[in-house]
Amino acid sequence: MEGILLLALFILLSISVYRRYYPVRGVPCVDYRDESINSLTILDLRDYNEKTNHHPIANSLHIPFAYLKRHVYEIPNKPIHVIVSDEAGKNLGIRFLRSRGFKVKSYSMADCPCKERRNAKWNTAKKSKTA
């Protein structure tokens, strides 16, 4: 009996960790200033205080992740570009939207590490430790 309870607890914990930290596949990181996302619904999932600290995005629908379940009916049924503050928010937000039938085409983070990641991947020149 005790073994079954431990197994059930382990499974629930594993599901929670998976949803929050395992990366979502198939959704590219695109800079929110890129013109390719103009045809998409731009959904800003950052908290209200993060939106004012980082640049607010014009023409975006701002629904913080904590309020997403209550206001999901306000999101138009079009492909979505998601703006988040961190990896966990990206994973949780995209999984929630997909579970509700939305098509998330791309995402970007507040500080947008997309370009650094893309450039670092192709930069094969070794950097000096003293430079």
Side-chain angles (χ1 to χ4, degrees), residues 19-33:
R19 286 183 181 159
R20 180 173 288 272
Y21 297 109
Y22 190 77
V24 175
R25 303 283 182 209
V27 181
C29 181
V30 176
D31 189 4
Y32 67 88
R33 294 173 294 247

Side-chain angles (χ1 to χ4, degrees), residues 2 23 47 49 51 53 62 117:
E2 188 176 301
D47 290 332
N49 58 347
K51 182 181 178 188
N53 292 343
H62 186 237
R117 236 186 290 158

Side-chain angles (χ1 to χ4, degrees), residues 49-97:
N49 58 347
E50 290 177 23
K51 182 181 178 188
T52 57
N53 292 343
H54 299 291
H55 307 288
I57 288 89
N59 300 326
S60 68
L61 181 60
H62 186 237
I63 303 174
F65 178 73
Y67 300 100
L68 193 56
K69 191 173 186 181
R70 279 185 248 168
H71 299 283
V72 73
Y73 64 89
E74 295 177 10
I75 304 170
N77 194 10
K78 290 176 31 180
I80 297 174
H81 174 82
V82 176
I83 300 173
V84 293
S85 58
D86 59 3
E87 286 285 330
K90 174 195 78 150
N91 296 333
L92 290 170
I94 291 174
R95 283 194 174 97
F96 177 81
L97 290 168

Side-chain angles (χ1 to χ4, degrees), residues 34-59:
D34 194 347
E35 292 181 14
S36 66
I37 66 166
N38 289 343
S39 64
L40 305 175
T41 299
I42 300 173
L43 180 60
D44 193 344
L45 297 180
R46 297 177 291 169
D47 290 332
Y48 290 117
N49 58 347
E50 290 177 23
K51 182 181 178 188
T52 57
N53 292 343
H54 299 291
H55 307 288
I57 288 89
N59 300 326

